[in-house]
Amino acid sequence: MSKPFSIKSRIKSFKFAIKGIISLFKHEHNSRIHLICAIFAVALAVYLKISVLEWAMIVLSIGIVFTAELINSAIERAIDLHSQEPSEKAGQAKDMAAAGVLIAAISSLIIGCIIFIPKLLVKF
């Protein structure tokens, strides 16, 4: 049987999530690179006055990259907890999780190029 709904427990779950985000930026160097890119994309979007749909694509892209980075980090830590000895399957799982981040980042870069390059060419 599940516990009844509680505002206190919902707030507690948000605190855990925020703790996870802080941990990501504290321990994962690539997440800081993604953060700098996200800040740059948002600043460029403001400067170029992009449309609402373009904003949605930029925000979604940023969210997907950080979600992939968080999932990758969680997978790596779970594997490290379980697997003390180097294992081919553990290595493959880590590589695949990292590949997910790479695909998300490349996709986001392509979306950024599609949105920003035409606008920058008109401006300059």
Side-chain angles (χ1 to χ4, degrees):
M1 173 122 312
S2 64
K3 295 180 184 179
F5 179 82
S6 159
I7 295 291
K8 193 182 279 189
S9 64
R10 293 306 97 218
I11 291 170
K12 197 174 185 181
S13 71
F14 277 106
K15 287 181 183 177
F16 291 137
I18 291 168
K19 187 177 173 184
I21 292 168
I22 291 168
S23 179
L24 178 76
F25 290 117
K26 186 176 179 183
H27 299 288
E28 298 298 326
H29 299 282
N30 287 344
S31 69
R32 294 180 221 151
I33 295 168
H34 294 305
L35 181 61
I36 290 166
C37 292
I39 291 167
F40 177 75
V42 168
L44 192 56
V46 169
Y47 173 72
L48 294 172
K49 298 179 174 100
I50 66 174
S51 72
V52 172
L53 181 59
E54 291 167 331
W55 266 111
M57 294 303 297
I58 294 297
V59 170
L60 185 60
S61 294
I62 290 168
I64 289 170
V65 170
F66 284 117
T67 299
E69 192 70 65
L70 284 159
I71 292 168
N72 174 55
S73 297
I75 288 170
E76 286 185 355
R77 282 178 184 57
I79 289 170
D80 288 345
L81 279 173
H82 178 69
S83 172
Q84 301 300 320
E85 301 289 322
S87 156
E88 184 177 341
K89 286 185 179 182
Q92 288 172 348
K94 285 181 164 188
D95 292 347
M96 289 175 185
V101 178
L102 180 62
I103 290 169
I106 290 170
S107 299
S108 293
L109 177 63
I110 292 168
I111 289 168
C113 289
I114 290 168
I115 292 170
F116 296 135
I117 289 175
K119 293 178 182 341
L120 288 169
L121 290 175
V122 169
K123 276 225 183 256
F124 301 106

